[in-house]
Amino acid sequence: MSLTSNIILPILQLIVIVGLSPLVKGFINKIEARFQCRRGPSLFQPYYNLIKLLRKDAVVSETASWIFRATPYVTFVSILVIALLVPVLSSCVPLNFTGDVILIIYLFALGRFFLALSSLDTASAFGGMGGSREMMISSMAEPAMMLSVFTVSLTVGTTNLGNITSAFLNSSTLLLNPSLFLAFAALCIVIIAETGRIPIDNPFTHLELTMVHEGMVLEFSGRYLALIEWASGMKLLILLTILVNTFLPWGVASGLTFTGLIISFALYVVKIGFFAFLIAILESSFAKLRLFRIPNLLGTAFILSILAIISLYVVG
Amino acid sequence: MTEQVIVSSRTIDILAVLMLMTTIVLVGTSRLRTSIWAYAIRSFLLTWVSGLIAYFSGIHHIFIATGISLALKVILIPGFLFYIVNKTKVKTDVESVINYTLSLLISCGLILIAYYSTQSIIKFENDFMGHCLPVSLAITLLGFFVMITRKKAITQILGLLAMEDGLFFAALSTSYGMPLIVELGVFFDILVSVIIMGIYVYRIKETFDSIDTDSLRELKE
Amino acid sequence: MVEHLFIISIILYLVGALFALCLFKWQMVGNYVSFIFAAIASCLGIATAAMVLFNSSTIRLDFQLFLPVIKYNFLLDPLSSYFILAISVISFVASVYSIGYTRLYVNKRDVRFLGFTYNLFLMAMILVVSANNAFVFMIVWELMTLVSFFLVIFEHENPATRKAGLVYIVMAHIGSGLLAIAFFILLAYAGSFSFDSFRDVASQIPAVYKNIVFFLIIFGFGIKAGIFPLHLWLPMAHPAAPSNISMIMSGVMIKTAIYGFIRFYFEFLTPCPPWWGVIILIIGATSAILGILYALMERDIKTLLAYSSVENVGIILIGIGMSMIFKSYNQMALSSLAMIAGLYHLFNHAVFKCLLFGCAGNIYYSTHTKNIEELGGLIKRMQITAPLFLIGALSISAIPPLNGFISEWFIFQSLLNGFNIPSVIIKIITIICGAVVALTGALVATCFIKAFGISFLAIPRTKHAEKAKEVPVIMFISMGLLAALCVFMGLFPAKIMMIINHVNTQILGMNILKAVTSYDWLQMKIVRTNFTELSPKSATVFGLILLGITLGALFLMRPKFIRKFYETWTCGIAPEPRLEYTATAFTKPFKVVFSNLYKPRLEVNTTYSVPNFFVKSIAYVGEITPIFEKYLYNPVSNFVLRISDKARLIHAGNIHLYLAYIFITLLILIMFFR
């Protein structure tokens, strides 16, 4: 890897993830509005919201401590680091050497840890409720996530996402493995749970008793809220990117040629758009699950993932 | 093995695993309609597999079985089940004897057993369509498990159908199906039993105002 | 040189113990002197261990005291030095901490006794891991148990403490008894008590006896390590002891049992069959998940930490179990990898658990309560303890870039490598363990969010918490050291692995340092396995760069960003502590999800001032059923009590009768051995 690619690629990758993540949200909102026979807000509404929030001062609770004020930065930066660990346009990943998918999972945990702490920090009962539920959902999702990641890693023999992508690019029959199908299904459920979409959590609600993620970030405002919203948008995009570039890696550039990157970018947008569309369909056609039904769904994901890895071991 | 054989065997494996997933949905869901849909989808996948096997093996009677299966299992039986559900206006929530988390864990264990116990046979078969046998065993076991634990009569029918699917799939994948006459007989049996049980469900509903099989205990006195 | 250092440090511990007794007139001085001696002795211990580890040498010390038959053999090899290092680091910190913490007891209680037993306790632990003779080992093991028992019952006027002490001493002695049997079986083949002779005959013992010894060791050391379901004493005794003692008990005393496991399974009982490793692995996974599930429901902060020790011992055992499995399939490189995972986690746990117990001690010091439901808002009152606790909580939750993450990462890597094992069933077990570790990791995070969030954040819930003040400087200086160690071990894993590699070279005969460390293109030292590589340092550097960019961009966008402070909106009323989320509420979803395990009991009593209309008070009692106590321990203890009731019949109290018993026994013996 030359020095230019070491500088250009990370910047490019950050621009794609940071820049596109509000658009994904806007796209999902738009499609859902269409399903509800509404015109819906503009595709770029999330950008306007972010700019508006960033221009504002913040109101902070008197009871809150420095944890509350540090949380938005910790969350945002941890997601930015993850953005550099994931193959986006090219299968060579900027920070491939610093860590693997396990680091990614635990970096997500870092952001979540601080968010849940700050939810308790303001002494409001809603925050605590959101934090508690978020932790419950993410804990239940963790084993399924880890096992599906294991399945993929064991098929290829590496836990580095970039190496996984390039391995799948090189051999197409490697992907045609039933175990990977199961892992894919499990990962889909996990991603829905992790990003707080319907049927696990409703990202649009502000009704006290139903909110999970929104309850947790209820007390944030201004710049803080902008950072957290942006981070959660990026989290969705990053998880979709992992899904897309691991299981459908076609078109991802293996080198760093200009045309390769352009093609890769176009396909990337199409693939992400497709999954965003699927999420919109899912959200429009399902109701939110009751809180204590969620473990059942995540349990199903766990079974799928454990099945994936066992079938990999037994059948090969 | 040639490239084409690998691809086709992998495709059948993937379909098999998808069938297993629909069966897990049957265990995991709490809605009757979802479970009927799961059955329909599984039957469709099964038909697809049998079509593929018929095509690759060139055995004609599998085509016939495929056609009947398509008509019967994908269209007729699910349609009939939906009809019963609408007619009896049952509460769509499925009730189970044991709670969901536990039943999910148990089904996980059953699948584990299925994979583990067929392991020696698979190695013998040289990885070709390696998922088929364990999956068919797992579907049969899960169907049985659903029959044991569910209270609603319709879910029990679905469990029976899952068992039948598992057996059919096992026969199909290991020995390219049973003789045609046997298969026809089995299909006919299934159809008749579903219809009989459907009527039976309707009668239970009329008598007890619920299709909970627990109320059948009252017949003892 | 090294042996002199070792002997001097032991003597210093003894002198410290004696000083504590001698200076009884001046409690404060005696106290300081004894803890300072302990601190100096532990510094020497660190030096000893470091010298042995870096020279990869083996040093024997043989004494012949008192009785001519028994030799007092000690051995300082890399394995024991690694444990001495861990013990000494923790003892140093705990000794410095104790100087401040024991002010709580001065003039209220017999502090001399504390200083005396404390020094003996540290000395016994050092001797346990360096003993090279079964006889000596049993003596110092018993000394350690006995002295720690006295430390546990230090606050003996509390009946709960006395009960904890009783349970501890009884269980510990059952464990010692089992160990003694194991040693006697080995003695029968080796012909001497020396560990060297045990090593020599390792391959000659028949399989049946090996299996018996294996199970005896599991139970014998398992009780000390606190594995499920032998953990009963641990969540009782650790919280009952003073916090500086809990630091040592949880931080390092339970690790002496891990030392025992490694010594036996990798030296005395080799070669071991794969299923031994599998059993250790399963025990580890069970302890991990059940330990943390019980910690989650706990409201007493020290009990919570004690349960979390059970969980961490489980994780260490997962590493060791994997190592045993790989070793029995002769995959030495992977075995070393798993061993690194286990030993790394061992050191990590010692560091962060000591830190957390220290913070719990600080909380107790300034609020006199251990119940987190009575705390809150401490972050503004104890401004240095709070970040220290946060660092401990983050590293125990395996959050990068702190040290817990590194060992968690190694555990995952070694479990992933389970696919190299030929047996399918073991492969499946390793992968289920992987899922268990993942779930455990997430639950640990929840548990410590609860512990930190409820006790440190928001508004104080009681007067105790409101009046909390920061503790004396000396207490958090020592803990700052631990926090720094957490960060250091997280950022520079290659340094620690170099140390562990010496242990591996000794017990597995495999040097994998070249394979597991290398340099990346930033010329930073990274750790790697056959799957991938990890460079926490570079990741942190990039994180800081990105933080800088973010802050810079935000500053450019709005240079005059201000924060306004208002009270939290609570639907129109002023925020009150009553409105806050409680620890019980925070973990309620888990109680519902895992209700099969917890079997929660709920009782709501409503009293009315006007019947059925005006509610006067609502009492809510919710508790979980301790199933292990109820279904495992109670039947056993009831059985024992019944038997002893029967046995009392022969205790008539008549001296003639007792003489007759002796006489009859004598007759029988004469007949028997005629």
Side-chain angles (χ1 to χ4, degrees):
Chain A
M1 230 192 230
S2 67
L3 200 64
T4 46
S5 70
N6 277 332
I7 294 168
I8 293 170
L9 194 66
I11 293 174
L12 211 61
Q13 202 154 323
L14 277 181
I15 289 172
V16 170
I17 297 282
V18 176
L20 283 188
S21 57
L23 189 65
V24 174
K25 262 192 167 168
F27 182 67
I28 294 177
N29 290 353
K30 188 82 180 171
I31 300 286
E32 277 175 25
R34 283 288 172 206
F35 277 120
Q36 293 159 0
C37 300
R38 288 188 290 127
R39 181 184 291 237
S42 146
L43 264 183
F44 301 101
Q45 189 60 41
Y47 292 98
Y48 306 144
N49 288 350
L50 286 177
I51 291 167
K52 179 191 73 185
L53 286 173
L54 282 174
R55 284 213 196 111
K56 290 196 172 196
D57 287 333
V59 181
V60 180
S61 161
E62 276 165 359
T63 49
S65 60
W66 56 269
I67 301 260
F68 184 84
R69 298 195 290 277
T71 299
Y73 301 109
V74 173
T75 317
F76 191 76
V77 170
S78 68
I79 302 273
L80 282 183
V81 175
I82 297 170
L84 291 181
L85 288 165
V86 171
V88 179
L89 299 180
S90 159
S91 62
C92 12
V93 174
L95 298 190
N96 218 352
F97 63 91
T98 59
D100 56 347
V101 66
I102 299 173
L103 179 67
I104 293 177
I105 293 174
Y106 278 90
L107 277 174
F108 279 131
L110 170 65
R112 192 162 53 227
F113 195 95
F114 271 87
L115 271 179
L117 278 186
S118 63
S119 77
L120 288 168
D121 204 5
T122 53
S124 129
F126 298 141
M129 189 159 64
S132 151
R133 290 174 177 178
E134 169 95 359
M135 288 318 290
M136 189 265 274
I137 294 170
S138 62
S139 314
M140 299 286 111
E142 195 88 353
M145 184 155 181
M146 203 55 97
L147 285 193
S148 35
V149 160
F150 273 20
T151 313
V152 179
S153 312
L154 286 173
T155 358
V156 184
T158 170
T159 48
N160 251 333
L161 282 175
N163 300 353
I164 290 173
T165 304
S166 51
F168 281 142
L169 271 178
N170 291 337
S171 152
S172 54
T173 45
L174 209 58
L175 259 178
L176 207 62
N177 190 334
S179 309
L180 290 179
F181 254 76
L182 290 164
F184 176 76
L187 209 55
C188 284
I189 299 177
V190 167
I191 286 175
I192 288 169
E194 285 277 325
T195 52
R197 316 297 303 193
I198 290 174
I200 305 280
D201 180 16
N202 188 346
F204 303 106
T205 183
H206 278 282
L207 197 70
E208 298 88 357
L209 297 176
T210 55
M211 53 195 182
V212 180
H213 185 81
E214 292 300 314
M216 202 160 58
V217 303
L218 196 66
E219 300 292 335
F220 287 100
S221 57
R223 170 190 287 183
Y224 298 141
L225 185 61
L227 286 179
I228 285 176
E229 291 277 307
W230 209 337
S232 76
M234 273 156 50
K235 186 175 179 183
L236 174 64
L237 182 60
I238 286 173
L239 285 171
L240 285 181
T241 308
I242 293 177
L243 193 71
V244 155
N245 281 354
T246 305
F247 293 99
L248 312 163
W250 302 290
V252 176
S254 47
L256 272 177
T257 55
F258 183 69
T259 45
L261 285 180
I262 293 289
I263 294 169
S264 168
F265 181 70
L267 275 171
Y268 175 73
V269 170
V270 170
K271 284 187 273 189
I272 293 287
F274 174 70
F275 275 94
F277 187 72
L278 282 187
I279 287 180
I281 291 179
L282 197 73
E283 295 210 315
S284 310
S285 48
F286 277 92
K288 187 180 166 298
L289 278 178
R290 256 178 60 205
L291 186 67
F292 290 111
R293 282 280 157 79
I294 293 173
N296 297 344
L297 184 63
L298 294 173
T300 316
F302 174 67
I303 289 190
L304 289 176
S305 61
I306 207 162
L307 201 59
I309 206 147
I310 286 167
S311 60
L312 184 73
Y313 274 159
V314 174
V315 184
Chain B
M1 283 194 277
T2 62
E3 185 82 357
Q4 198 205 351
V5 173
I6 292 177
V7 170
S8 59
S9 127
R10 285 281 173 85
T11 316
I12 290 172
D13 273 352
I14 288 169
L15 291 174
V17 164
L18 288 176
M19 278 170 62
L20 186 56
M21 276 157 73
T22 59
T23 321
I24 294 172
V25 169
L26 177 65
V27 180
T29 188
S30 57
R31 282 153 208 224
L32 216 44
R33 286 178 171 278
T34 317
S35 12
I36 299 174
W37 270 116
Y39 171 68
I41 293 169
R42 187 179 55 238
S43 307
F44 177 70
L45 292 168
L46 185 58
T47 327
W48 191 354
V49 170
S50 75
L52 277 179
I53 289 180
Y55 176 73
F56 289 123
S57 65
I59 301 171
H60 295 296
H61 78 77
I62 306 184
F63 276 118
I64 301 171
T66 308
I68 297 172
S69 152
L70 184 69
L72 201 67
K73 288 185 176 172
V74 185
I75 300 161
L76 218 57
I77 294 181
F80 182 66
L81 288 174
F82 275 124
Y83 170 75
I84 296 175
V85 169
N86 288 339
K87 181 132 185 173
T88 50
K89 296 197 183 67
V90 282
K91 251 182 34 218
T92 43
D93 266 344
V94 177
E95 287 165 34
S96 174
V97 181
I98 47 181
N99 71 11
Y100 280 100
T101 327
L102 198 60
S103 58
L104 278 174
L105 278 178
I106 291 174
S107 52
C108 185
L110 290 177
I111 295 167
L112 241 164
I113 291 170
Y115 265 96
Y116 187 66
S117 56
T118 50
Q119 178 206 349
S120 51
I121 308 171
I122 295 165
K123 287 285 173 269
F124 188 67
E125 291 251 325
N126 201 13
D127 281 6
F128 178 65
M129 303 204 308
H131 281 267
C132 292
L133 195 59
V135 162
S136 53
L137 183 57
I139 292 176
T140 316
L141 292 176
L142 287 179
F144 212 150
F145 176 65
V146 166
M147 282 186 76
I148 294 169
T149 54
R150 293 302 160 82
K151 287 182 180 168
K152 291 266 161 69
I154 291 186
T155 343
Q156 290 187 330
I157 298 177
L158 287 169
L160 179 74
L161 290 171
M163 283 176 73
E164 195 275 333
D165 273 359
L167 293 176
F168 179 68
F169 184 45
L172 194 68
S173 57
T174 49
S175 59
Y176 301 124
M178 293 169 270
L180 186 60
I181 191 74
V182 179
E183 254 159 32
L184 289 180
V186 171
F187 281 142
F188 188 66
D189 269 2
I190 282 296
L191 183 63
V192 169
S193 60
V194 167
I195 289 172
I196 289 174
M197 283 178 86
I199 295 166
Y200 177 64
V201 166
Y202 187 62
R203 291 286 166 218
I204 299 175
K205 167 80 180 171
E206 290 223 312
T207 321
F208 297 103
D209 203 32
S210 128
I211 57 166
D212 198 328
T213 44
D214 272 0
S215 31
L216 288 180
R217 284 193 201 144
E218 290 172 26
L219 289 176
K220 214 166 61 175
E221 276 97 41
Chain C
M1 172 65 190
V2 181
E3 51 267 58
H4 295 314
L5 271 181
F6 180 72
I7 294 169
I8 292 171
S9 81
I10 297 297
I11 291 174
L12 278 178
Y13 281 127
L14 283 173
V15 171
L18 289 178
F19 257 112
L21 279 189
C22 295
L23 293 170
F24 52 89
K25 281 277 171 59
W26 307 279
Q27 280 210 351
M28 204 69 174
V29 180
N31 197 14
Y32 283 165
V33 169
S34 66
F35 288 123
I36 288 170
F37 268 106
I40 297 170
S42 42
C43 281
L44 292 181
I46 296 173
T48 317
M51 284 165 86
V52 174
L53 280 168
F54 284 107
N55 299 332
S56 272
S57 51
T58 311
I59 289 155
R60 285 168 194 286
L61 294 141
D62 297 315
F63 306 98
Q64 200 134 24
L65 296 169
F66 314 130
L67 287 169
V69 203
I70 295 148
K71 286 204 180 83
Y72 292 84
N73 303 327
F74 294 97
L75 175 75
L76 297 174
D77 58 357
L79 176 64
S80 56
S81 301
Y82 185 72
F83 281 85
I84 291 179
L85 185 67
I87 293 170
S88 300
V89 168
I90 299 306
S91 335
F92 175 71
V93 173
S95 305
V96 177
Y97 179 83
S98 304
I99 294 174
Y101 187 77
T102 42
R103 283 184 204 169
L104 200 61
Y105 299 117
V106 168
N107 295 331
K108 284 185 202 146
R109 219 178 268 282
D110 201 348
V111 185
R112 292 171 301 164
F113 190 64
L114 185 66
F116 175 69
T117 37
Y118 177 86
N119 272 294
L120 283 187
F121 181 39
L122 296 185
M123 185 195 76
M125 280 194 301
I126 298 278
L127 292 181
V128 161
V129 294
S130 55
N132 195 32
N133 180 318
F135 190 77
V136 179
F137 183 88
M138 282 314 288
I139 291 177
V140 286
W141 181 261
E142 276 303 289
L143 179 67
M144 184 176 82
T145 308
L146 207 61
V147 173
S148 55
F149 164 71
F150 286 122
L151 289 168
V152 166
I153 58 162
F154 185 64
E155 296 176 22
H156 50 77
E157 73 285 341
N158 185 350
T161 305
R162 287 202 300 273
K163 189 189 171 204
L166 185 69
V167 171
Y168 172 46
I169 196 86
V170 168
M171 291 190 72
H173 275 102
I174 294 172
S176 311
L178 296 173
L179 283 184
I181 300 173
F183 278 129
F184 277 120
I185 292 176
L186 288 178
L187 173 71
Y189 287 92
S192 104
F193 275 120
S194 164
F195 280 176
D196 294 326
S197 59
F198 289 178
R199 286 187 195 102
D200 293 338
V201 295
S203 50
Q204 293 159 24
I205 306 170
V208 186
Y209 286 102
K210 267 190 176 177
N211 291 343
I212 293 172
V213 173
F214 169 73
F215 282 108
L216 286 172
I217 293 301
I218 283 192
F219 286 103
F221 283 125
I223 287 177
K224 198 57 128 194
I227 58 175
F228 257 87
L230 308 173
H231 67 289
L232 187 69
W233 66 274
L234 205 150
M236 293 166 96
H238 287 203
S243 294
N244 52 340
I245 307 303
S246 328
M247 280 163 99
I248 297 173
M249 286 181 77
S250 235
V252 283
M253 188 190 79
I254 53 175
K255 309 293 162 40
T256 54
I258 305 287
Y259 165 81
F261 279 131
I262 297 177
R263 204 40 112 192
F264 265 85
Y265 297 149
F266 287 87
E267 287 194 340
F268 302 162
L269 297 175
T270 49
C272 44
W275 61 268
W276 285 13
V278 175
I279 285 182
I280 297 287
L281 186 65
I282 291 172
I283 286 175
T286 329
S287 301
I289 187 73
L290 290 178
I292 198 59
L293 279 173
Y294 279 104
L296 202 56
M297 287 299 129
E298 206 44 66
R299 277 166 297 213
D300 180 319
I301 190 155
K302 285 177 76 178
T303 317
L304 181 149
L305 291 174
Y307 270 122
S308 137
S309 294
V310 174
E311 173 249 323
N312 279 288
V313 162
I315 300 218
I316 296 168
L317 285 183
I318 288 177
I320 291 178
M322 283 310 285
S323 183
M324 285 168 71
I325 296 173
F326 285 131
K327 184 167 177 254
S328 43
Y329 285 113
N330 225 359
Q331 290 162 333
M332 286 310 186
L334 293 177
S335 177
S336 308
L337 181 70
M339 185 55 96
I340 285 178
L343 288 182
Y344 206 115
H345 195 76
L346 185 138
F347 210 119
N348 280 346
H349 176 242
V351 172
F352 53 59
K353 189 47 67 66
C354 187
L355 177 60
L356 288 168
F357 261 117
C359 292
N362 286 2
I363 294 174
Y364 184 68
Y365 189 91
S366 62
T367 64
H368 295 280
T369 179
K370 289 185 285 187
N371 186 348
I372 55 175
E373 302 277 36
E374 294 176 7
L375 301 171
L378 294 183
I379 194 166
K380 294 193 176 138
R381 287 160 186 83
M382 303 171 76
Q383 286 177 338
I384 299 174
T385 306
L388 291 175
F389 195 106
L390 183 66
I391 288 179
L394 282 169
S395 45
I396 204 171
S397 314
I399 303 287
L402 293 166
N403 60 353
F405 172 69
I406 308 289
S407 47
E408 198 94 344
W409 189 81
F410 272 114
I411 293 276
F412 277 124
Q413 294 291 333
S414 47
L415 285 170
L416 254 177
N417 268 307
F419 84 100
N420 286 309
I421 299 167
S423 151
V424 173
I425 193 94
I426 298 181
K427 276 186 196 176
I428 292 174
I429 289 171
T430 60
I431 224 62
I432 292 173
C433 285
V436 168
V437 175
L439 181 62
T440 308
L443 292 176
V444 172
T446 316
C447 182
F448 281 90
I449 286 170
K450 182 192 83 171
F452 183 80
I454 302 292
S455 48
F456 281 94
L457 302 179
I459 322 174
R461 289 176 176 78
T462 53
K463 284 265 161 29
H464 300 304
E466 213 165 321
K467 285 187 193 141
K469 273 202 278 304
E470 192 53 278
V471 295
V473 182
I474 193 140
M475 283 163 79
F476 48 70
I477 283 182
S478 56
M479 278 152 45
L481 201 69
L482 288 177
L485 210 53
C486 278
V487 178
F488 176 81
M489 288 174 72
L491 291 182
F492 304 94
K495 296 253 185 325
I496 312 297
M497 282 164 57
M498 219 158 67
I499 298 174
I500 300 175
N501 191 50
H502 290 299
V503 181
N504 271 335
T505 326
Q506 181 214 339
I507 55 176
L508 296 167
M510 188 79 194
N511 185 344
I512 59 163
L513 194 65
K514 286 277 184 308
V516 291
T517 55
S518 58
Y519 288 92
D520 61 29
W521 55 266
L522 287 176
Q523 293 309 305
M524 300 235 194
K525 199 147 195 185
I526 59 174
V527 290
R528 54 180 298 136
T529 67
N530 48 350
F531 277 103
T532 182
E533 50 222 3
L534 179 76
S535 171
K537 200 164 34 172
S538 323
T540 315
V541 168
F542 278 99
L544 290 177
I545 293 173
L546 289 171
L547 179 67
I549 294 174
T550 314
L551 286 175
L554 287 171
F555 179 76
L556 288 180
M557 195 173 284
R558 190 172 167 81
K560 285 183 212 149
F561 171 72
I562 46 169
R563 293 183 292 261
K564 297 174 197 149
F565 292 90
Y566 282 112
E567 63 183 27
T568 310
W569 171 248
T570 42
C571 305
I573 34 177
E576 272 185 74
R578 284 170 62 194
L579 300 174
E580 289 175 59
Y581 229 51
T582 59
T584 316
F586 193 78
T587 48
K588 179 74 194 278
F590 292 91
K591 196 150 99 182
V592 175
V593 172
F594 295 102
S595 56
N596 280 341
L597 172 74
Y598 291 132
K599 304 200 183 306
R601 199 175 63 80
L602 216 147
E603 220 175 84
V604 181
N605 288 320
T606 318
T607 50
Y608 297 96
S609 52
V610 177
N612 296 334
F613 292 107
F614 293 103
V615 176
K616 199 158 127 200
S617 67
I618 300 175
Y620 174 96
V621 182
E623 57 183 29
I624 56 170
T625 318
I627 47 172
F628 286 95
E629 267 178 69
K630 196 170 170 189
Y631 298 109
L632 187 67
Y633 284 97
N634 285 355
V636 171
S637 69
N638 286 345
F639 177 73
V640 171
L641 284 180
R642 260 209 318 280
I643 295 289
S644 39
D645 246 16
K646 295 263 159 47
R648 218 159 59 190
L649 286 178
I650 57 171
H651 286 282
N654 186 342
I655 186 119
H656 302 289
L657 195 60
Y658 291 156
L659 286 175
Y661 288 153
I662 297 172
F663 183 65
I664 292 167
T665 315
L666 191 67
L667 273 186
I668 291 172
L669 284 177
I670 290 171
M671 295 298 286
F672 196 74
F673 294 105
R674 73 195 127 89

